[in-house]
Amino acid sequence: MSLITLMLISFIFSGYWAVMVVVLSVSVMMSVINLFSSFPKLMVTEAVMSSPLGLLLTFLSLSLCLLSVISTPNVKEPLYIFMISLLGLVLLGVFNLSGLISFYILFEFSLIPTLALIIIWGYQPERLISGAYMMLYTVGASFPLFLTILFVSGNTGSSNYMIICNSYLFHGGALVLMSLCLAFLVKLPMYTVHVWLPKAHVEAPLAGSMMLAGVLLKLGGYGLWVGLPLLKLSFSGGVLSVVVSLALWGGLISCVVCLRQVDVKSFVAYSSVAHMSLVIVGLMMNTQWGIASSTITMFAHGFTSSCMFCLAYFSYTKVFSRSLSLMGGFLALYPMLSLSWFLLCMINMAAPPFMNMIGELFIVPCLWYIGSLIFLVVMGVMVFFSGCYNMFLYTSIAHGSPNKLDNPSLGLLGSEFTSITFHLLPMVLIFNMKYMMMYSSVLLFDQKL
Protein backbone atom coordinates (compact mmCIF):
# COMPACT_ATOMS: atom_id res chain seq x y z
CA MET A 1 0.00 0.00 0.00
CA SER A 2 1.48 3.31 -1.05
CA LEU A 3 2.19 6.23 1.27
CA ILE A 4 -0.42 8.38 -0.48
CA THR A 5 -3.10 5.72 0.12
CA LEU A 6 -2.21 5.53 3.83
CA MET A 7 -2.37 9.31 4.15
CA LEU A 8 -5.75 9.36 2.39
CA ILE A 9 -7.20 6.67 4.67
CA SER A 10 -5.88 8.41 7.80
CA PHE A 11 -7.31 11.71 6.61
CA ILE A 12 -10.74 10.13 6.01
CA PHE A 13 -10.82 8.50 9.44
CA SER A 14 -9.56 11.62 11.22
CA GLY A 15 -12.15 13.70 9.40
CA TYR A 16 -14.82 11.17 10.33
CA TRP A 17 -14.04 11.41 14.03
CA ALA A 18 -13.82 15.19 13.86
CA VAL A 19 -17.27 15.31 12.25
CA MET A 20 -18.61 12.91 14.89
CA VAL A 21 -17.27 15.11 17.69
CA VAL A 22 -18.82 18.22 16.14
CA VAL A 23 -22.18 16.48 15.60
CA LEU A 24 -22.15 15.18 19.16
CA SER A 25 -21.38 18.64 20.57
CA VAL A 26 -24.09 20.31 18.46
CA SER A 27 -26.68 17.67 19.43
CA VAL A 28 -25.90 18.12 23.10
CA MET A 29 -26.16 21.90 22.76
CA MET A 30 -29.53 21.65 20.98
CA SER A 31 -30.95 19.24 23.56
CA VAL A 32 -29.81 21.55 26.36
CA ILE A 33 -31.34 24.62 24.70
CA ASN A 34 -34.62 22.77 24.09
CA LEU A 35 -34.68 21.70 27.72
CA PHE A 36 -34.57 25.36 28.83
CA SER A 37 -38.09 25.97 27.59
CA SER A 38 -39.56 23.06 29.56
CA PHE A 39 -39.03 24.67 32.96
CA PRO A 40 -40.93 27.72 34.20
CA LYS A 41 -38.99 30.49 35.82
CA LEU A 42 -38.75 30.48 39.60
CA MET A 43 -39.07 33.55 41.75
CA VAL A 44 -36.84 34.33 44.71
CA THR A 45 -39.54 33.39 47.19
CA GLU A 46 -39.58 29.82 45.86
CA ALA A 47 -35.85 29.27 46.43
CA VAL A 48 -34.43 27.83 49.63
CA MET A 49 -30.84 27.38 50.66
CA SER A 50 -31.25 23.60 50.75
CA SER A 51 -31.29 23.68 46.97
CA PRO A 52 -30.25 21.52 44.03
CA LEU A 53 -27.03 23.53 43.83
CA GLY A 54 -26.43 22.69 47.50
CA LEU A 55 -27.04 19.01 46.79
CA LEU A 56 -24.71 19.13 43.80
CA LEU A 57 -21.93 20.76 45.81
CA THR A 58 -22.58 18.34 48.67
CA PHE A 59 -21.92 15.46 46.29
CA LEU A 60 -18.75 17.22 45.12
CA SER A 61 -17.57 17.80 48.71
CA LEU A 62 -18.11 14.24 49.92
CA SER A 63 -16.57 12.79 46.76
CA LEU A 64 -13.41 14.86 47.11
CA CYS A 65 -13.10 14.06 50.82
CA LEU A 66 -13.06 10.37 49.92
CA LEU A 67 -10.71 10.87 46.97
CA SER A 68 -8.29 12.92 49.07
CA VAL A 69 -7.93 9.96 51.44
CA ILE A 70 -7.50 7.52 48.54
CA SER A 71 -4.86 9.73 46.91
CA THR A 72 -2.65 9.80 50.02
CA PRO A 73 -2.29 6.15 51.13
CA ASN A 74 0.92 6.92 53.03
CA VAL A 75 -0.75 9.43 55.34
CA LYS A 76 -3.25 7.73 57.60
CA GLU A 77 -2.79 9.56 60.90
CA PRO A 78 -5.99 9.76 62.98
CA LEU A 79 -5.76 13.55 63.15
CA TYR A 80 -5.41 13.74 59.35
CA ILE A 81 -8.52 11.62 58.80
CA PHE A 82 -10.37 13.62 61.46
CA MET A 83 -9.59 16.97 59.80
CA ILE A 84 -10.79 15.77 56.40
CA SER A 85 -13.94 14.27 57.94
CA LEU A 86 -14.60 17.47 59.90
CA LEU A 87 -14.22 19.55 56.76
CA GLY A 88 -16.68 17.28 54.95
CA LEU A 89 -19.25 17.62 57.76
CA VAL A 90 -18.88 21.41 57.83
CA LEU A 91 -19.39 21.64 54.06
CA LEU A 92 -22.40 19.33 54.35
CA GLY A 93 -23.94 21.83 56.76
CA VAL A 94 -23.04 24.90 54.69
CA PHE A 95 -24.80 23.63 51.57
CA ASN A 96 -27.95 22.40 53.32
CA LEU A 97 -28.88 24.95 56.01
CA SER A 98 -31.54 27.64 55.70
CA GLY A 99 -30.35 30.02 58.44
CA LEU A 100 -28.04 32.87 57.46
CA ILE A 101 -26.26 32.99 60.83
CA SER A 102 -25.54 29.25 60.84
CA PHE A 103 -24.52 29.55 57.19
CA TYR A 104 -22.00 32.28 58.01
CA ILE A 105 -20.57 30.41 61.01
CA LEU A 106 -19.97 27.22 59.04
CA PHE A 107 -18.83 29.27 56.03
CA GLU A 108 -15.96 30.67 58.10
CA PHE A 109 -15.40 27.55 60.19
CA SER A 110 -14.47 25.64 57.04
CA LEU A 111 -11.19 27.58 57.06
CA ILE A 112 -10.05 25.99 60.33
CA PRO A 113 -9.64 22.39 59.07
CA THR A 114 -8.07 23.74 55.88
CA LEU A 115 -5.63 25.85 57.88
CA ALA A 116 -4.77 22.81 60.00
CA LEU A 117 -4.04 20.75 56.89
CA ILE A 118 -1.73 23.48 55.56
CA ILE A 119 0.15 24.12 58.82
CA ILE A 120 0.51 20.54 60.09
CA TRP A 121 1.09 18.65 56.85
CA GLY A 122 2.52 21.44 54.69
CA TYR A 123 5.88 21.14 52.97
CA GLN A 124 7.90 24.25 53.83
CA PRO A 125 8.28 26.77 56.69
CA GLU A 126 6.48 29.39 54.57
CA ARG A 127 3.21 27.53 55.24
CA LEU A 128 2.65 29.72 58.32
CA ILE A 129 2.75 32.86 56.18
CA SER A 130 0.45 31.26 53.61
CA GLY A 131 -2.05 30.34 56.32
CA ALA A 132 -1.93 33.88 57.67
CA TYR A 133 -2.60 35.29 54.19
CA MET A 134 -5.59 33.01 53.74
CA MET A 135 -7.12 33.87 57.12
CA LEU A 136 -6.55 37.63 56.81
CA TYR A 137 -8.02 37.88 53.33
CA THR A 138 -11.08 35.70 53.90
CA VAL A 139 -11.99 36.64 57.47
CA GLY A 140 -11.29 40.35 56.98
CA ALA A 141 -13.42 40.54 53.84
CA SER A 142 -16.34 38.73 55.50
CA PHE A 143 -16.65 41.09 58.48
CA PRO A 144 -19.11 43.52 56.77
CA LEU A 145 -21.24 40.54 55.78
CA PHE A 146 -21.33 39.34 59.40
CA LEU A 147 -22.50 42.73 60.69
CA THR A 148 -25.16 42.93 57.99
CA ILE A 149 -26.53 39.47 58.81
CA LEU A 150 -26.81 40.39 62.48
CA PHE A 151 -28.53 43.70 61.64
CA VAL A 152 -31.04 42.16 59.23
CA SER A 153 -31.78 39.23 61.54
CA GLY A 154 -32.46 41.67 64.39
CA ASN A 155 -34.86 43.75 62.28
CA THR A 156 -36.80 40.80 60.87
CA GLY A 157 -36.72 38.71 64.04
CA SER A 158 -35.42 35.69 62.14
CA SER A 159 -32.34 34.52 60.27
CA ASN A 160 -34.28 32.24 57.92
CA TYR A 161 -33.41 32.84 54.29
CA MET A 162 -36.96 32.75 52.92
CA ILE A 163 -38.36 35.04 55.62
CA ILE A 164 -35.67 37.64 54.97
CA CYS A 165 -36.22 37.40 51.20
CA ASN A 166 -39.95 38.07 51.59
CA SER A 167 -39.92 40.71 54.32
CA TYR A 168 -36.76 42.78 54.07
CA LEU A 169 -35.50 45.21 51.45
CA PHE A 170 -31.89 46.32 51.63
CA HIS A 171 -31.24 50.04 51.61
CA GLY A 172 -27.99 51.76 50.79
CA GLY A 173 -25.77 52.58 47.86
CA ALA A 174 -24.54 50.06 45.36
CA LEU A 175 -21.02 50.22 46.76
CA VAL A 176 -22.34 49.35 50.22
CA LEU A 177 -24.26 46.41 48.83
CA MET A 178 -21.28 45.18 46.82
CA SER A 179 -19.07 45.35 49.90
CA LEU A 180 -21.34 42.69 51.37
CA CYS A 181 -20.45 40.41 48.45
CA LEU A 182 -16.74 40.97 49.01
CA ALA A 183 -16.55 37.92 51.28
CA PHE A 184 -17.70 35.69 48.45
CA LEU A 185 -15.57 37.40 45.80
CA VAL A 186 -12.46 36.85 47.93
CA LYS A 187 -13.39 33.23 48.47
CA LEU A 188 -13.76 32.49 44.75
CA PRO A 189 -11.31 34.40 44.40
CA MET A 190 -11.65 37.37 42.08
CA TYR A 191 -8.52 38.87 40.57
CA THR A 192 -6.92 41.59 42.77
CA VAL A 193 -7.96 39.65 45.91
CA HIS A 194 -6.49 36.34 44.77
CA VAL A 195 -2.99 36.61 46.25
CA TRP A 196 -3.73 34.21 49.09
CA LEU A 197 -4.73 31.34 46.79
CA PRO A 198 -1.40 30.56 45.02
CA LYS A 199 0.45 30.91 48.32
CA ALA A 200 -1.92 28.49 50.05
CA HIS A 201 -1.74 25.95 47.22
CA VAL A 202 2.05 25.94 47.05
CA GLU A 203 2.40 25.20 50.76
CA ALA A 204 -0.62 22.92 51.21
CA PRO A 205 -0.43 19.11 51.13
CA LEU A 206 -2.34 17.16 48.49
CA ALA A 207 -5.56 16.87 50.50
CA GLY A 208 -5.48 20.59 51.33
CA SER A 209 -5.05 21.56 47.68
CA MET A 210 -7.79 19.17 46.56
CA MET A 211 -10.33 20.50 49.04
CA LEU A 212 -9.27 24.11 48.59
CA ALA A 213 -9.60 24.09 44.80
CA GLY A 214 -12.35 21.51 44.52
CA VAL A 215 -14.81 22.73 47.15
CA LEU A 216 -13.79 25.81 49.14
CA LEU A 217 -13.62 28.00 46.03
CA LYS A 218 -17.20 26.92 45.29
CA LEU A 219 -18.30 28.35 48.63
CA GLY A 220 -17.81 31.79 47.12
CA GLY A 221 -19.99 30.93 44.13
CA TYR A 222 -22.65 29.43 46.38
CA GLY A 223 -22.55 32.50 48.59
CA LEU A 224 -23.04 34.80 45.59
CA TRP A 225 -25.99 32.68 44.46
CA VAL A 226 -27.52 33.05 47.92
CA GLY A 227 -26.66 36.71 48.44
CA LEU A 228 -27.35 38.44 45.13
CA PRO A 229 -31.15 37.88 45.19
CA LEU A 230 -31.22 39.34 48.70
CA LEU A 231 -29.37 42.46 47.58
CA LYS A 232 -31.54 42.79 44.45
CA LEU A 233 -28.74 44.36 42.42
CA SER A 234 -29.28 45.31 38.80
CA PHE A 235 -26.62 45.21 36.10
CA SER A 236 -27.78 48.59 34.84
CA GLY A 237 -26.58 50.15 38.08
CA GLY A 238 -22.99 50.26 36.89
CA VAL A 239 -21.32 48.53 39.84
CA LEU A 240 -21.96 45.05 38.52
CA SER A 241 -20.54 46.06 35.15
CA VAL A 242 -17.33 47.10 36.93
CA VAL A 243 -17.18 43.73 38.73
CA VAL A 244 -17.78 41.82 35.49
CA SER A 245 -15.10 43.87 33.71
CA LEU A 246 -12.61 43.28 36.51
CA ALA A 247 -13.39 39.56 36.54
CA LEU A 248 -12.93 39.17 32.78
CA TRP A 249 -9.75 41.21 32.54
CA GLY A 250 -8.42 39.51 35.67
CA GLY A 251 -9.12 36.12 34.12
CA LEU A 252 -7.20 37.14 31.01
CA ILE A 253 -4.23 38.33 33.08
CA SER A 254 -4.30 35.06 35.04
CA CYS A 255 -4.13 33.11 31.77
CA VAL A 256 -1.05 35.09 30.74
CA VAL A 257 0.52 34.62 34.19
CA CYS A 258 0.14 30.84 33.79
CA LEU A 259 2.58 30.93 30.89
CA ARG A 260 5.29 32.29 33.20
CA GLN A 261 4.90 29.78 36.05
CA VAL A 262 7.61 27.24 36.86
CA ASP A 263 5.83 25.53 39.79
CA VAL A 264 3.13 23.07 38.74
CA LYS A 265 0.89 23.78 41.75
CA SER A 266 1.14 27.53 41.24
CA PHE A 267 0.32 26.92 37.57
CA VAL A 268 -2.92 25.08 38.45
CA ALA A 269 -3.79 27.73 41.07
CA TYR A 270 -3.67 30.60 38.56
CA SER A 271 -5.65 28.46 36.14
CA SER A 272 -8.35 28.20 38.82
CA VAL A 273 -8.44 31.99 39.15
CA ALA A 274 -9.05 32.27 35.41
CA HIS A 275 -11.89 29.74 35.45
CA MET A 276 -13.56 31.24 38.51
CA SER A 277 -13.71 34.60 36.75
CA LEU A 278 -16.28 33.06 34.38
CA VAL A 279 -18.30 31.88 37.38
CA ILE A 280 -18.37 35.46 38.70
CA VAL A 281 -19.63 36.78 35.36
CA GLY A 282 -22.40 34.19 35.14
CA LEU A 283 -23.63 34.72 38.68
CA MET A 284 -23.49 38.50 38.46
CA MET A 285 -25.63 38.50 35.34
CA ASN A 286 -28.25 36.32 37.13
CA THR A 287 -29.76 35.08 33.87
CA GLN A 288 -30.68 31.59 32.77
CA TRP A 289 -27.54 31.24 30.66
CA GLY A 290 -25.38 32.70 33.43
CA ILE A 291 -26.72 30.41 36.14
CA ALA A 292 -26.32 27.39 33.84
CA SER A 293 -22.75 28.38 32.94
CA SER A 294 -21.75 28.95 36.57
CA THR A 295 -23.30 25.67 37.74
CA ILE A 296 -21.59 23.58 35.09
CA THR A 297 -18.26 25.38 35.46
CA MET A 298 -18.19 25.03 39.25
CA PHE A 299 -19.01 21.32 39.15
CA ALA A 300 -16.60 20.52 36.31
CA HIS A 301 -13.80 22.65 37.72
CA GLY A 302 -14.12 20.95 41.10
CA PHE A 303 -13.12 17.57 39.73
CA THR A 304 -10.72 18.93 37.10
CA SER A 305 -8.59 21.08 39.40
CA SER A 306 -8.56 18.42 42.13
CA CYS A 307 -7.31 15.82 39.64
CA MET A 308 -4.65 18.19 38.32
CA PHE A 309 -3.31 18.66 41.84
CA CYS A 310 -3.30 14.88 42.21
CA LEU A 311 -1.25 14.55 39.03
CA ALA A 312 1.12 17.26 40.26
CA TYR A 313 1.66 15.27 43.46
CA PHE A 314 2.06 11.96 41.62
CA SER A 315 4.63 13.60 39.32
CA TYR A 316 6.41 15.03 42.35
CA THR A 317 6.79 11.53 43.80
CA LYS A 318 8.59 10.48 40.61
CA VAL A 319 10.89 13.50 40.20
CA PHE A 320 10.93 14.89 43.77
CA SER A 321 10.42 18.38 42.38
CA ARG A 322 7.48 20.49 41.21
CA SER A 323 9.59 22.58 38.83
CA LEU A 324 8.63 22.28 35.17
CA SER A 325 12.29 22.60 34.20
CA LEU A 326 13.07 19.31 35.99
CA MET A 327 10.07 17.46 34.57
CA GLY A 328 10.26 16.06 31.08
CA GLY A 329 10.21 12.87 29.11
CA PHE A 330 7.21 11.46 30.98
CA LEU A 331 5.81 10.15 27.69
CA ALA A 332 8.68 7.64 27.49
CA LEU A 333 9.12 6.88 31.18
CA TYR A 334 5.55 7.04 32.55
CA PRO A 335 3.08 6.60 29.66
CA MET A 336 -0.05 6.23 31.85
CA LEU A 337 0.81 9.35 33.84
CA SER A 338 1.50 11.21 30.58
CA LEU A 339 -1.88 10.07 29.21
CA SER A 340 -3.58 11.36 32.37
CA TRP A 341 -1.88 14.74 31.95
CA PHE A 342 -3.03 14.84 28.32
CA LEU A 343 -6.67 14.16 29.24
CA LEU A 344 -6.67 16.68 32.06
CA CYS A 345 -5.07 19.39 29.94
CA MET A 346 -7.75 18.77 27.30
CA ILE A 347 -10.50 19.04 29.91
CA ASN A 348 -8.93 22.13 31.47
CA MET A 349 -8.77 23.92 28.11
CA ALA A 350 -12.51 23.13 27.59
CA ALA A 351 -11.99 20.91 24.57
CA PRO A 352 -14.98 18.95 23.24
CA PRO A 353 -16.74 16.78 24.21
CA PHE A 354 -16.12 17.51 27.90
CA MET A 355 -18.40 19.39 30.27
CA ASN A 356 -16.09 22.40 30.67
CA MET A 357 -16.74 23.35 27.05
CA ILE A 358 -20.49 23.70 27.71
CA GLY A 359 -19.82 25.86 30.77
CA GLU A 360 -17.65 28.28 28.79
CA LEU A 361 -19.97 28.42 25.79
CA PHE A 362 -22.99 29.29 27.91
CA ILE A 363 -21.29 32.47 29.12
CA VAL A 364 -21.25 33.91 25.60
CA PRO A 365 -25.00 34.80 25.52
CA CYS A 366 -24.54 36.63 28.83
CA LEU A 367 -21.74 38.74 27.39
CA TRP A 368 -23.83 39.35 24.27
CA TYR A 369 -26.71 40.45 26.54
CA ILE A 370 -24.46 43.12 28.04
CA GLY A 371 -24.06 44.58 24.56
CA SER A 372 -20.34 45.27 24.77
CA LEU A 373 -18.15 43.84 22.01
CA ILE A 374 -14.98 44.22 24.06
CA PHE A 375 -16.21 41.61 26.56
CA LEU A 376 -16.65 39.06 23.79
CA VAL A 377 -13.16 39.85 22.49
CA VAL A 378 -11.65 39.40 25.96
CA MET A 379 -13.49 36.10 26.33
CA GLY A 380 -12.13 34.90 22.99
CA VAL A 381 -8.57 35.86 23.94
CA MET A 382 -9.03 34.02 27.26
CA VAL A 383 -10.01 30.86 25.41
CA PHE A 384 -6.96 31.20 23.16
CA PHE A 385 -4.53 31.64 26.06
CA SER A 386 -6.23 28.80 27.93
CA GLY A 387 -5.31 26.47 25.09
CA CYS A 388 -1.79 27.92 25.00
CA TYR A 389 -0.92 27.42 28.65
CA ASN A 390 -2.45 23.93 28.79
CA MET A 391 -0.45 22.84 25.75
CA PHE A 392 2.64 24.43 27.30
CA LEU A 393 2.05 22.46 30.52
CA TYR A 394 1.62 19.15 28.72
CA THR A 395 4.62 19.56 26.42
CA SER A 396 6.83 20.60 29.33
CA ILE A 397 5.94 17.43 31.24
CA ALA A 398 5.52 14.81 28.52
CA HIS A 399 8.24 15.77 26.03
CA GLY A 400 11.87 16.72 26.28
CA SER A 401 14.83 14.97 27.87
CA PRO A 402 14.09 12.87 30.99
CA ASN A 403 15.67 13.83 34.27
CA LYS A 404 18.59 11.56 35.22
CA LEU A 405 17.06 11.12 38.69
CA ASP A 406 13.82 9.67 37.28
CA ASN A 407 13.07 6.04 38.04
CA PRO A 408 11.17 4.42 35.14
CA SER A 409 10.07 1.53 37.37
CA LEU A 410 7.89 3.84 39.49
CA GLY A 411 4.65 3.69 37.52
CA LEU A 412 1.18 4.60 38.74
CA LEU A 413 0.18 2.83 41.93
CA GLY A 414 -3.24 1.26 42.32
CA SER A 415 -4.46 4.05 44.59
CA GLU A 416 -3.20 6.69 42.16
CA PHE A 417 -4.92 5.06 39.18
CA THR A 418 -8.15 4.74 41.20
CA SER A 419 -8.05 8.40 42.18
CA ILE A 420 -7.52 9.57 38.59
CA THR A 421 -10.27 7.29 37.28
CA PHE A 422 -12.90 8.47 39.74
CA HIS A 423 -11.95 12.09 39.09
CA LEU A 424 -12.55 11.62 35.38
CA LEU A 425 -15.84 9.70 35.64
CA PRO A 426 -18.03 12.78 36.36
CA MET A 427 -16.83 14.30 33.10
CA VAL A 428 -18.94 11.64 31.35
CA LEU A 429 -21.96 13.68 32.46
CA ILE A 430 -21.55 15.53 29.16
CA PHE A 431 -23.70 12.73 27.74
CA ASN A 432 -26.39 13.35 30.39
CA MET A 433 -26.43 17.13 30.36
CA LYS A 434 -30.18 17.19 30.85
CA TYR A 435 -29.71 16.33 34.52
CA MET A 436 -27.23 19.17 34.96
CA MET A 437 -29.60 21.56 33.20
CA MET A 438 -32.47 20.45 35.44
CA TYR A 439 -30.34 21.68 38.32
CA SER A 440 -29.57 24.93 36.53
CA SER A 441 -33.23 25.57 35.69
CA VAL A 442 -34.26 25.12 39.31
CA LEU A 443 -31.49 27.51 40.39
CA LEU A 444 -32.85 30.29 38.21
CA PHE A 445 -34.24 33.24 40.15
CA ASP A 446 -35.45 35.52 37.41
CA GLN A 447 -35.45 34.66 33.72
CA LYS A 448 -34.22 37.64 31.77
CA LEU A 449 -33.36 36.10 28.42
Side-chain angles (χ1 to χ4, degrees):
M1 188 178 293
S2 64
L3 180 61
I4 298 178
T5 306
L6 287 174
M7 293 177 61
L8 181 61
I9 293 175
S10 63
F11 174 78
I12 292 174
F13 275 91
S14 63
Y16 171 76
W17 285 111
V19 171
M20 288 299 294
V21 169
V22 173
V23 171
L24 176 63
S25 304
V26 172
S27 62
V28 170
M29 287 286 295
M30 293 304 297
S31 62
V32 167
I33 294 172
N34 292 333
L35 188 67
F36 275 153
S37 59
S38 62
F39 287 89
K41 67 176 183 178
L42 300 179
M43 303 306 292
V44 177
T45 55
E46 298 173 0
V48 294
M49 292 182 67
S50 182
S51 61
L53 178 59
L55 298 177
L56 194 66
L57 294 180
T58 299
F59 168 74
L60 176 63
S61 305
L62 299 181
S63 299
L64 292 185
C65 285
L66 178 61
L67 290 174
S68 63
V69 176
I70 295 175
S71 303
T72 53
N74 297 327
V75 185
K76 289 296 181 287
E77 301 175 18
L79 183 60
Y80 179 80
I81 303 297
F82 172 75
M83 286 299 171
I84 296 178
S85 303
L86 178 62
L87 182 57
L89 291 175
V90 170
L91 295 171
L92 183 65
V94 169
F95 297 131
N96 294 279
L97 291 179
S98 58
L100 290 181
I101 294 180
S102 56
F103 166 77
Y104 176 82
I105 292 174
L106 294 179
F107 179 82
E108 294 300 326
F109 186 78
S110 62
L111 295 173
I112 296 179
T114 309
L115 182 64
L117 289 173
I118 294 175
I119 292 178
I120 300 176
W121 291 278
Y123 297 119
Q124 300 171 355
E126 289 80 4
R127 61 184 182 271
L128 297 176
I129 300 177
S130 301
Y133 264 87
M134 183 181 70
M135 296 299 293
L136 288 175
Y137 267 86
T138 54
V139 176
S142 65
F143 188 67
L145 177 65
F146 175 65
L147 295 180
T148 304
I149 291 177
L150 292 180
F151 176 76
V152 173
S153 300
N155 286 346
T156 57
S158 174
S159 64
N160 185 271
Y161 179 75
M162 291 187 64
I163 294 177
I164 294 177
C165 278
N166 293 327
S167 61
Y168 193 83
L169 179 64
F170 279 81
H171 297 283
L175 291 177
V176 176
L177 298 181
M178 285 306 303
S179 67
L180 305 180
C181 294
L182 185 61
F184 309 126
L185 295 176
V186 170
K187 199 87 167 187
L188 273 165
M190 186 177 69
Y191 190 81
T192 66
V193 288
H194 70 288
V195 180
W196 65 273
L197 184 66
K199 291 180 177 293
H201 274 308
V202 169
E203 306 301 331
L206 175 59
S209 294
M210 290 175 63
M211 298 305 299
L212 189 62
V215 182
L216 294 184
L217 297 187
K218 313 306 177 289
L219 283 177
Y222 183 74
L224 282 179
W225 176 78
V226 170
L228 285 177
L230 286 174
L231 301 179
K232 300 177 178 63
L233 289 176
S234 172
F235 189 85
S236 60
V239 176
L240 289 186
S241 61
V242 173
V243 176
V244 170
S245 303
L246 185 59
L248 278 177
W249 284 104
L252 177 59
I253 295 173
S254 300
C255 290
V256 177
V257 170
C258 285
L259 293 172
R260 300 296 300 168
Q261 296 301 310
V262 295
D263 191 315
V264 179
K265 295 190 73 173
S266 181
F267 190 104
V268 181
Y270 277 101
S271 173
S272 297
V273 175
H275 285 95
M276 288 299 101
S277 64
L278 301 180
V279 175
I280 296 174
V281 175
L283 290 172
M284 286 294 177
M285 292 301 299
N286 196 24
T287 62
Q288 191 165 10
W289 292 98
I291 296 296
S293 172
S294 301
T295 304
I296 297 171
T297 303
M298 282 194 291
F299 184 79
H301 176 266
F303 285 102
T304 303
S305 61
S306 175
C307 191
M308 292 191 76
F309 280 114
C310 284
L311 292 179
Y313 176 76
F314 300 156
S315 302
Y316 171 80
T317 59
K318 308 296 187 291
V319 186
F320 300 103
S321 175
R322 297 199 307 262
S323 176
L324 289 175
S325 60
L326 297 179
M327 293 183 181
F330 275 29
L331 189 59
L333 298 179
Y334 316 106
M336 287 300 298
L337 187 58
S338 179
L339 175 62
S340 301
W341 272 114
F342 176 74
L343 292 176
L344 263 296
C345 288
M346 283 184 60
I347 295 173
N348 198 44
M349 73 169 65
F354 299 105
M355 191 189 305
N356 304 56
M357 179 195 69
I358 305 296
E360 292 193 6
L361 288 180
F362 278 11
I363 205 66
V364 176
C366 294
L367 300 177
W368 186 266
Y369 175 74
I370 297 174
S372 178
L373 182 61
I374 188 63
F375 286 166
L376 291 173
V377 173
V378 172
M379 176 66 189
V381 178
M382 279 184 61
V383 172
F384 171 75
F385 276 107
S386 176
C388 289
Y389 70 71
N390 280 287
M391 288 190 291
F392 166 73
L393 175 63
Y394 174 71
T395 54
S396 299
I397 294 175
H399 299 284
S401 300
N403 194 334
K404 296 181 179 180
L405 300 178
D406 291 350
N407 187 358
S409 64
L410 294 177
L412 282 179
L413 303 177
S415 59
E416 297 172 351
F417 182 78
T418 302
S419 175
I420 295 173
T421 302
F422 281 97
H423 272 102
L424 294 177
L425 278 180
M427 297 298 107
V428 183
L429 283 176
I430 183 67
F431 303 109
N432 293 290
M433 283 299 298
K434 59 181 180 180
Y435 301 113
M436 183 65 66
M437 298 317 305
M438 287 171 65
Y439 278 103
S440 303
S441 299
V442 175
L443 298 177
L444 181 60
F445 284 129
D446 191 8
Q447 184 176 351
K448 296 179 182 178
L449 287 181

